[in-house]
């Protein structure tokens, strides 16, 4: 399935775009244009150790068929982008905000943007949404299987291994701050969505073995957006809601997007 989707992306074609991060890394993005001219752009943010074309191959086809353009970057240290370390949404958020500015400068000041993030990318778009730094061009956010808080997520994984202390997290975080310039305890999407003003949709598989599905309810409840929706897909593991849900996923996505764009 993945190979077929990636083959379709290559056959459909895309433009490559580049920016330099605030840390000096060359980052790569991909633009897939709808057949007819459109002022709507879906911005895709991929997950940890994935890359843009892999994460958004399947959903890109759906968005393109709706007549939307699709733009997705490779995050730092992923795909064709430079860098050594992923940062669980910390630097990715800053980089993606820079990509949004790039889109406005190069694709048009009046374009409409939909944010769509998966896993770490979901954490990234949630942090973007609550940052207060997004332009009015960004009209809505779709988050798929994101975590509520990085430190709590890591603690949850440690507890599953029988470790009840957060000392390992604090030790790793000390190194992160010194060497990589980011802090796990500042990566808190649930705090970000408390400041959300645009429509938000929350998606999660109820059999997610990586990010527990109860987190989607905490995120939804915390979200301050007046317009919001939640979708849980039965039997879906982490980042598999689209593949498992199929028509159910796309129907719910279309209903929310068509209502808010």
């Amino acid at each position: 399935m993945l190979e077929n989707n990636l083959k379709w992306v290559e056959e459909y074609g895309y433009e490559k775009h580049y920016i330099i991060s605030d840390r000096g890394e060359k980052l790569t993005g991909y633009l897939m244009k709808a057949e007819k001219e459109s002022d709507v752009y879906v911005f895709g943010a991929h997950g940890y150790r994935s890359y843009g074309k892999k994460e958004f191959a399947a959903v890109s086809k759906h968005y393109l068929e709706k007549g939307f353009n699709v733009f997705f970057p490779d995050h730092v240290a992923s795909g064709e982008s430079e860098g050594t370390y992923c940062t669980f949404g910390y630097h990715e958020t800053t980089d993606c905000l820079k990509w949004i500015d790039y889109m406005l400068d190069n694709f048009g000041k009046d374009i409409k943007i939909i944010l769509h993030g998966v896993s770490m990318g979901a954490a990234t778009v949630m942090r973007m949404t609550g940052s207060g730094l997004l332009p009015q061009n960004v009209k809505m956010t779709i988050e798929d299987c994101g975590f509520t808080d990085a430190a709590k997520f890591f603690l949850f994984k440690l507890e599953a291994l029988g470790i009840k202390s957060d000392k390992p997290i604090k030790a790793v975080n000390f190194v992160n701050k010194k060497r990589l310039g980011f802090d796990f305890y500042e990566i808190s999407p649930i705090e970000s969505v408390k400041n959300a003003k645009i429509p938000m949709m929350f998606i999660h598989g109820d059999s997610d073995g990586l990010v527990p599905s109860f987190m989607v309810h905490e995120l939804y409840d915390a979200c301050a957006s007046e317009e919001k929706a939640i979708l849980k897909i039965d039997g879906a593991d982490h980042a598999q809601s689209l593949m498992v849900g199929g028509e159910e996923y796309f129907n719910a996505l279309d209903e929310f997007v068509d209502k808010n764009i």
Side-chain angles (χ1 to χ4, degrees):
M1 178 68 75
L2 175 60
E3 289 183 0
N4 290 337
N5 287 335
L6 289 173
K7 181 181 178 181
W8 176 84
V9 170
E10 296 297 334
E11 290 175 347
Y12 188 94
Y14 49 80
E15 297 175 359
K16 284 189 179 182
H17 294 261
Y18 305 93
I19 62 171
I20 304 299
S21 76
D22 293 342
R23 303 167 307 282
E25 300 132 337
K26 184 178 180 181
L27 307 179
T28 303
Y30 308 83
L31 172 64
M32 301 180 72
K33 292 183 177 179
E35 290 186 6
K36 294 183 179 180
E37 188 173 343
S38 173
D39 64 349
V40 180
Y41 288 74
V42 178
F43 180 91
H46 67 77
Y48 178 75
R49 290 304 184 190
S50 185
Y51 55 95
K53 285 185 282 186
K54 175 183 177 182
E55 199 82 87
F56 289 96
V59 77
S60 288
K61 184 175 183 180
H62 183 77
Y63 279 127
L64 288 162
E65 289 174 348
K66 286 178 67 65
F68 298 166
N69 306 298
V70 180
F71 183 86
F72 42 81
D74 287 337
H75 295 312
V76 58
S78 303
E80 295 186 24
S81 289
E82 294 180 348
T84 305
Y85 300 100
C86 297
T87 63
F88 300 96
Y90 189 89
H91 289 318
E92 289 82 1
T93 299
T94 302
D95 295 340
C96 286
L97 288 169
K98 195 165 189 174
W99 274 119
I100 296 296
D101 289 340
Y102 177 92
M103 292 173 69
L104 297 183
D105 288 340
N106 290 273
F107 306 153
K109 296 294 185 183
D110 297 323
I111 62 173
K112 302 179 183 71
I113 300 173
I114 299 169
L115 302 181
H116 188 139
V118 179
S119 191
M120 181 188 75
T124 299
V125 298
M126 285 189 281
R127 294 186 79 229
M128 293 168 70
T129 301
S131 68
L133 300 175
L134 286 176
Q136 292 185 347
N137 305 73
V138 179
K139 302 302 182 182
M140 59 182 295
T141 296
I142 310 293
E143 80 85 18
D144 185 338
C145 64
F147 54 78
T148 56
D149 181 278
K152 290 180 180 178
F153 166 71
F154 293 131
L155 182 60
F156 176 82
K157 304 309 288 185
L158 287 175
E159 289 177 345
L161 297 172
I163 301 171
K164 301 296 184 179
S165 171
D166 67 348
K167 289 182 179 179
I169 301 172
K170 290 181 177 178
V172 173
N173 196 48
F174 177 81
V175 176
N176 281 340
K177 289 193 290 185
K178 291 291 185 181
R179 290 188 179 180
L180 307 180
F182 79 97
D183 186 340
F184 282 143
Y185 291 90
E186 293 182 12
I187 307 172
S188 183
I190 195 167
E191 292 300 316
S192 296
V193 299
K194 292 177 181 179
N195 299 315
K197 294 182 172 66
I198 59 176
M200 293 195 67
M201 183 175 187
F202 299 84
I203 303 172
H204 218 103
D206 74 349
S207 297
D208 194 323
L210 182 64
V211 178
S213 62
F214 67 76
M215 286 189 172
V216 73
H217 296 286
E218 295 179 350
L219 288 165
Y220 177 84
D221 290 343
C223 179
S225 299
E226 292 184 6
E227 185 69 37
K228 58 184 179 179
I230 188 169
L231 172 67
K232 290 188 73 175
I233 300 295
D234 290 343
D237 201 346
H238 188 67
Q240 293 297 308
S241 289
L242 184 154
M243 299 303 179
V244 174
E247 186 175 349
E248 179 186 4
Y249 184 104
F250 287 126
N251 287 342
L253 181 69
D254 285 346
E255 181 179 355
F256 194 74
V257 169
D258 293 344
K259 181 179 180 180
N260 292 292
I261 196 70

